[in-house]
């Protein structure tokens, strides 16, 4: 566990351990939940499909493409849950492959239309 006070910045770093220097990491989605087993009901989305949802989120530059650094303000779920769990999805791409997901940034996915 990592302890941080409410409204303090929480700094995170994800890194890819590989011998291939031409790989790049991209943070696609990051969701917080009051429980470690359910990241859908009652969860809070920080970033989704590369689109920032939390106004306190900030990404930091990294000297290497295989490292992603970011931060957001710590918060507490309603009903005073003492713990918050994070689940983040990252994408690994070939560096300099500008057609890859890593270089697309925020992607707005359209919702499916319900048929009659």
């Amino acid at each position: 566990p990592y302890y941080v006070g409410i409204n303090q910045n929480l700094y995170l770093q994800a890194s890819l351990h590989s011998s291939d220097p031409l790989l790049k990491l991209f943070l696609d989605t990051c969701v917080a939940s009051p429980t470690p087993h359910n990241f859908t009901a009652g969860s809070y989305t920080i970033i989704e499909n590369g689109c920032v949802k939390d106004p306190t989120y900030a990404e930091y530059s990294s000297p290497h493409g295989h490292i992603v650094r970011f931060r957001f303000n710590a918060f507490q779920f309603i009903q005073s849950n003492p713990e918050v769990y994070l689940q983040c999805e990252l994408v690994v791409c070939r560096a300099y492959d500008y057609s890859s997901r890593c270089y697309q940034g925020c992607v707005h996915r359209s919702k499916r239309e319900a048929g009659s």
Side-chain angles (χ1 to χ4, degrees):
Y2 183 78
Y3 299 96
V4 63
I6 301 298
N7 290 325
Q8 288 185 328
N9 285 330
L10 176 62
Y11 297 90
L12 295 106
Q13 174 175 297
S15 58
L16 176 66
H17 298 279
S18 170
S19 59
D20 187 343
L22 293 177
L23 293 178
K24 177 176 175 57
L25 263 183
F26 175 73
L27 179 61
D28 184 73
T29 299
C30 202
V31 178
S33 171
T35 69
H37 309 294
N38 187 349
F39 283 88
T40 53
S43 64
Y44 177 76
T45 303
I46 297 163
I47 186 167
E48 181 177 41
N49 300 320
C51 304
V52 175
K53 302 294 183 183
D54 184 303
T56 68
Y57 172 89
E59 188 171 331
Y60 291 94
S61 63
S62 168
H64 306 286
H66 63 274
I67 295 175
V68 173
R69 296 174 176 165
F70 61 100
R71 71 140 168 95
F72 60 91
N73 279 11
F75 60 91
Q76 187 171 349
F77 281 97
I78 297 174
Q79 280 122 17
S80 301
N81 290 30
E83 299 170 341
V84 174
Y85 296 86
L86 292 177
Q87 183 178 64
C88 298
E89 296 177 20
L90 294 106
V91 179
V92 179
C93 306
R94 283 259 164 230
Y96 312 111
D97 177 1
Y98 297 108
S99 64
S100 71
R101 177 70 188 97
C102 293
Y103 292 93
Q104 293 173 3
C106 174
V107 175
H108 295 284
R109 304 196 193 246
S110 60
K111 296 188 179 186
R112 294 183 194 166
E113 186 176 312
S116 56

